């Protein structure tokens, strides 16, 4: 599940899509230095904004370290199953099982468990944020658990790895999302322009953290010659220290917040959270049908795109026989080409509008997935995989700003902050389904290609639902006459 949030963590990378691009275009008050500060540290004089930047950096490092951990887990799973090893350090596909599972199912199983635990925990986390005075304490506890569960992964060995996998799956994903929910509940600004500036700078801190961490650990692996398990221990140690310090600095700057909603006497927080989700769904269906249909599409699209990264690591390692260093290079290329997707989003959104831009991005991602599985399925095709790393880098860089921008364009401005948590819930509620399909197809057919192809079903469903998102109609006064304008997004 951790890679379910790799590109967006199911939270807004930028509150809008194309508008966020202009967020940092603030008036030049004292030359280029002031411009650079606004670009990276917009409105950083406020303690809550400083906390936001520290949290973005720390949680992103803790998040991305899972990529190295997953490579270590795969190595231990193949070793425990007795699968033959290739000269480049990768393992050959074999039908041996470990703990009753194929080694190629281990990461999918982690995503499945993480998705279910997160979906079950989110209503409670949302209720604590909305219905209690303990938002800050809850965030501190979740952040502490997140750091500790990453720290204990340092002790991953052949005798302990499966217990570590179970703990990581159940705890890390849910506490990561809970910390994210607390993080975004504190984000506020007096104007939309300032809000866009803050979230845009926050996205830069997030991307910088992930990319720099990947480069540092990649260089260490390249120069040291350590195998995937030792690198996994090193990455978890580094992430725990750096991420932990950043989260401490973040939560020292947050202030306690009172409950924003009233909890009826005798009602538990979990029940309140479930009921609030139901009430919000009914309300959106009646008052904002375009938002309701968009979220139905997002449930499918987010499940597919978030799961694809996790499952693709198994595909690269077993189907293409790529070494851990090859996979790291693949992922770095993917990160480095994300900005191309942002450029694609800005250009197409302005040319054809939010809805068509969003649907085009989903179609592009779905077609790219099918092409990958059609033409890259043998070890001799490994070099072609790097081309698809760039293609998917564009897809990830394009999808999240297009999705966030479209969602915000459909919402009344006064409801953006209120309904962002509901968007986060929708983005993870079905994150367990693609891994479950992957495991079922892999076990029944022995084909990783079919297993990974199952994720495209959700993209297809999301695309079909997205076609039927109605245009949003709002009433507003113009300078010349009173009338009703149709706002097409």
């Amino acid at each position: 599940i951790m890679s379910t949030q790799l590109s967006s963590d199911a939270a807004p990378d930028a509150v809008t899509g194309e508008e966020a691009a202009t967020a940092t275009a603030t008036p030049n008050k004292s030359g280029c230095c002031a411009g650079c500060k606004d670009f990276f540290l917009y409105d950083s004089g406020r303690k809550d904004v400083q906390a936001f930047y520290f949290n973005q950096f720390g949680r992103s490092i803790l998040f991305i370290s899972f990529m190295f951990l997953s490579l270590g887990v795969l190595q231990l799973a193949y070793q425990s199953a007795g699968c033959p090893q290739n000269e480049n350090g990768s393992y050959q596909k074999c039908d041996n099982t470990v703990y009753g599972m194929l080694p190629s199912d281990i990461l999918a199983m982690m995503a499945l468990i993480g998705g279910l635990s997160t979906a079950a925990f989110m209503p409670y986390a949302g209720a604590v944020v909305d219905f209690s005075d303990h938002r800050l304490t809850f965030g501190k506890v979740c952040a502490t658990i997140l750091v500790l569960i990453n720290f204990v992964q340092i002790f991953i060995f052949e005798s302990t790895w499966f217990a570590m996998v179970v703990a990581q799956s159940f705890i890390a994903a849910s506490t990561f999302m809970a910390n994210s929910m607390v993080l975004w509940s504190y984000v506020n600004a007096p104007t939309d322009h300032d809000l866009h500036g803050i979230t845009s700078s926050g996205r830069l801190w997030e991307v910088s953290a992930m990319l720099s961490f990947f480069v540092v650990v990649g260089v260490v692996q390249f120069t040291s010659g350590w195998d995937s398990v030792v690198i996994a221990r090193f990455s978890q140690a580094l992430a725990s220290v750096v991420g932990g310090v950043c989260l401490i600095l973040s939560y020292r700057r947050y202030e306690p917040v009172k409950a924003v909603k009233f909890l009826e006497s005798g009602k538990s927080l979990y029940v309140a959270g479930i009921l609030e989700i139901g009430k919000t769904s009914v309300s959106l269906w009646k008052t904002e049908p375009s938002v309701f249909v968009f979220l139905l599409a997002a449930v499918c699209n987010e499940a597919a795109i978030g799961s694809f990264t996790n499952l693709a690591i198994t595909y690269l390692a077993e189907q293409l026989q790529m070494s851990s260093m090859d996979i790291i290079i693949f992922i770095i290329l993917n990160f480095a080409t994300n900005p191309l997707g942002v450029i694609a989003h800005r250009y197409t959104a302005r040319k054809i509008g939010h809805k068509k831009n969003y649907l085009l991005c989903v179609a592009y991602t779905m077609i790219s997935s099918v092409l990958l599985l059609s033409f890259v399925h043998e070890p001799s095709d490994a070099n072609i995989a790097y081309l698809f790393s760039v293609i998917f880098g564009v897809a990830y860089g394009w999808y999240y700003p297009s999705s966030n921008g479209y969602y915000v364009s459909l919402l009344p401005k006064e409801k953006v902050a209120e309904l962002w948590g509901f968007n986060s819930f929708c983005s993870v509620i079905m994150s367990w389904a693609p891994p479950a399909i992957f495991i079922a197809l892999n076990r029944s057919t022995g084909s990783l290609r079919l297993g990974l192809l199952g994720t495209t079903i959700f993209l297809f469903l999301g695309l079909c639902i997205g076609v039927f998102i109605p245009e949003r109609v709002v009433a507003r006064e113009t300078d010349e006459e009173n009338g009703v304008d149709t706002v097409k997004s």
Side-chain angles (χ1 to χ4, degrees), residues 39-204:
F39 191 64
F40 290 101
L41 294 165
Y42 192 96
D43 202 14
S44 59
R46 290 168 45 189
K47 280 193 172 183
D48 60 323
V49 175
Q50 295 171 15
F52 174 62
Y53 295 152
F54 278 121
N55 204 317
Q56 282 284 77
F57 196 88
R59 75 192 183 101
S60 298
I61 285 179
L62 289 163
F63 160 75
I64 203 61
S65 66
F66 176 78
M67 288 297 166
F68 295 97
L69 179 63
S70 65
L71 293 173
V73 167
L74 270 182
Q75 177 178 316
L76 289 168
Y78 286 123
Q79 287 177 353
S80 299
C83 295
Q85 188 173 18
N86 297 315
E87 291 183 1
N88 68 348
S90 63
Y91 285 83
Q92 297 177 21
K93 183 177 182 180
C94 67
D95 295 328
N96 299 344
T97 61
V98 54
Y99 295 103
M101 294 179 291
L102 294 169
S104 54
D105 286 340
I106 293 295
L107 295 187
M109 183 273 292
M110 293 180 70
L112 170 61
I113 295 175
L116 289 172
S117 64
T118 301
F121 188 61
M122 286 288 278
Y124 176 78
V128 172
V129 169
D130 288 343
F131 290 96
S132 80
D133 299 337
H134 306 298
R135 180 189 307 184
L136 179 58
T137 302
F138 179 69
K140 289 179 178 180
V141 170
C142 289
T144 300
I145 295 174
L146 176 61
V147 173
L148 290 176
I149 197 62
N150 277 271
F151 177 77
V152 298
Q153 302 301 323
I154 297 171
F155 306 103
I156 185 169
F157 296 97
E158 192 168 357
S159 60
T160 63
W161 71 270
F162 190 73
M164 296 293 187
V165 161
V166 174
Q168 182 81 9
S169 303
F170 272 109
I171 302 173
S174 54
T175 53
F176 179 88
M177 284 302 298
N179 171 70
S180 298
M181 182 171 285
V182 173
L183 161 77
W184 288 106
S185 72
Y186 274 97
V187 175
N188 67 88
T191 66
D192 285 345
H193 179 79
D194 289 332
L195 187 60
H196 300 159
I198 292 168
T199 54
S200 296
S201 291
R203 174 59 175 164
L204 291 173

Side-chain angles (χ1 to χ4, degrees), residues 276-289:
E276 188 68 17
I277 290 171
K279 287 168 56 179
T280 302
S281 300
V282 173
S283 175
L284 287 176
W285 171 250
K286 292 180 178 179
T287 63
E288 299 291 343

